[in-house]
Amino acid sequence: MSDKTPPSPGTGITVIGIGADGWPGLPERLRGLVMAAQTVLGGHRHLALLPDRPGQRREVWPSPLREQLPDLLASLDDAPVVALASGDPLVSGIGTTLIDLLGADAVRVEPAVSSVALARARMGWPAERCTVVTLVGRDPRRLLRHLAPGHRVLALSSDARTPAAVAALLAGAGYGATLMTVLGDLGSDTESTLAATAERWLSAPPETVPSLNVLALELLGPPGHGLVPGLPDDAFESDGQLTRRDLRASALARLAPAPGQHLWDVGAGAGSVGIEWMRAHPACTATAVEADAERAERIVRNAGRLGVPGLTVVTGRAPAVLTGLRAPDAVFVGGGATRPGVLDSCLGALRPGGRIAVHGVTVETEHLLADTHRSHGGELARIAVETAAPLGGFTGWTPARTVTQWSLTKPA
């Protein structure tokens, strides 16, 4: 991405949403804004809808968008600028990107009816009874986080290939009986509906699928994992380096995932803490740091299978590999705490008000955490978990290794 900060055009940018009915469906007021603008930005499809207007600059969105958009914005002058978008530009649209780059004061949004609203209307689904997931330009495995029998999901598709990709994911996760309704070209004269189970879609896909479509999913399959921390240990592929279920739930309770916040999972093992952090909310992000390359690859597989393929995995040893990473709002150290500089680096990088939790099973780590507790405060606990198991003809308790846990909220 360019290191230049794109200036806000003197008159700002007006982002106008266009429905599937195209140029004729725009109110006269908005058509006037488009034709009066010195510059119009948009996709090929949107720009092709416009009548000729001599002297008007028309620019197609660059690709990759995020990396090249600042240079395009920096080339704009103070003359009026209009950007064209589909439906509601703030529903997985360019409006969000422009506000991120220019600020809300420099961007005015004139939305059309969103595809989400139209899809809910066609399906008769109240907003509070369904979840919206955007797959536009994103890994479709994000959908797997939301699997639960009886749950309704509206998935915003990237293109005509998305329904087949979703059907394959659902069938692979045991949700092949899910009813998929593909709503195409919503709001236009060519609006269409295709409905089939995920399994049926795979065995007999339709010949044509509209490139503009929204997927309405009525999920049917086995019980999902849920969104509360503490997934079963067997949900993760592991070589044994795994923060176990009860200890993981305890750590995440102290790390307190919050929307938009970032976690470092240091000494990640199977990546379970970072994965559960991201499952807590779609806006949560995480970086898993793992020295072993084979384990790092395993983390990637676990993250994809559990619906958070956006987890960043960094292969290398802390503390050296921590340099340059995005500053964390929370840090979990599941391994390597006794390595010189690890705790100091994590505490130094942690944002004010951030949380840290560290686990240790060795005497050496326990001594380190006791010293750290004396010098920094926080909470020091020992957690012992025992599970019932057969003992001869009876049932006895099998203890796991006792874990020492130190946690702290950094003063604001």
Side-chain angles (χ1 to χ4, degrees), residues 288-358:
V289 176
E290 174 53 54
D292 185 273
E294 186 175 347
R295 288 176 183 158
E297 293 175 359
R298 190 177 292 119
I299 293 171
V300 172
R301 294 195 295 271
N302 282 331
R305 191 174 62 256
L306 291 169
V308 288
L311 175 71
T312 299
V313 181
V314 174
T315 305
R317 289 192 179 277
V321 76
L322 303 178
T323 302
L325 297 183
R326 173 184 169 185
D329 301 285
V331 177
F332 176 70
V333 182
T338 56
R339 190 174 180 84
V342 169
L343 286 190
D344 287 342
S345 294
C346 291
L347 283 169
L350 193 62
R351 296 180 187 275
R355 291 81 61 201
I356 186 170
V358 185

Side-chain angles (χ1 to χ4, degrees), residues 118-367:
L118 289 169
R120 285 200 306 260
R122 300 297 183 267
M123 298 300 296
W125 291 358
E128 64 274 15
R129 297 182 189 173
C130 63
T131 298
V132 178
V133 180
T134 179
L135 304 181
V136 179
R138 294 168 172 85
D139 192 318
R141 290 177 296 176
R142 298 174 80 247
L143 183 67
L144 298 176
R145 174 181 174 272
H146 301 276
L147 294 186
H151 189 37
R152 291 172 169 176
V153 173
L154 289 176
L156 307 183
S157 291
S158 270
D159 51 37
R161 297 169 296 179
T162 302
V166 167
L169 284 173
L170 292 172
Y175 275 70
T178 292
L179 179 59
M180 296 174 41
T181 303
V182 180
L183 303 164
D185 297 320
L186 285 164
S188 75
D189 293 337
T190 59
E191 187 173 309
S192 63
T193 300
L194 297 169
T197 65
E199 289 176 341
R200 176 66 176 168
W201 192 280
L202 290 176
S203 62
E207 292 184 4
T208 59
V209 177
S211 58
L212 297 177
N213 69 83
V214 176
L215 275 168
L217 306 175
E218 298 175 75
L219 296 172
L220 186 60
H225 290 304
L227 301 177
V228 176
L231 296 185
D233 292 341
D234 61 10
F236 300 92
E237 181 186 347
S238 168
D239 63 358
Q241 289 297 108
L242 172 72
T243 300
R244 302 292 171 179
R245 183 180 198 171
D246 299 286
L247 299 166
R248 191 183 331 125
S250 175
L252 284 158
R254 288 157 175 80
L255 294 169
Q261 293 197 338
H262 188 68
L263 170 81
W264 285 359
D265 184 359
V266 180
S272 61
V273 172
I275 288 169
E276 292 229 47
W277 168 278
M278 289 185 64
R279 283 176 59 85
H281 191 275
C284 286
T285 59
T287 298
V289 176
E290 174 53 54
D292 185 273
E294 186 175 347
R295 288 176 183 158
E297 293 175 359
R298 190 177 292 119
I299 293 171
V300 172
R301 294 195 295 271
N302 282 331
R305 191 174 62 256
L306 291 169
V308 288
L311 175 71
T312 299
V313 181
V314 174
T315 305
R317 289 192 179 277
V321 76
L322 303 178
T323 302
L325 297 183
R326 173 184 169 185
D329 301 285
V331 177
F332 176 70
V333 182
T338 56
R339 190 174 180 84
V342 169
L343 286 190
D344 287 342
S345 294
C346 291
L347 283 169
L350 193 62
R351 296 180 187 275
R355 291 81 61 201
I356 186 170
V358 185
H359 284 183
V361 296
T362 66
V363 171
E364 290 79 8
T365 307
E366 185 174 280
H367 287 167

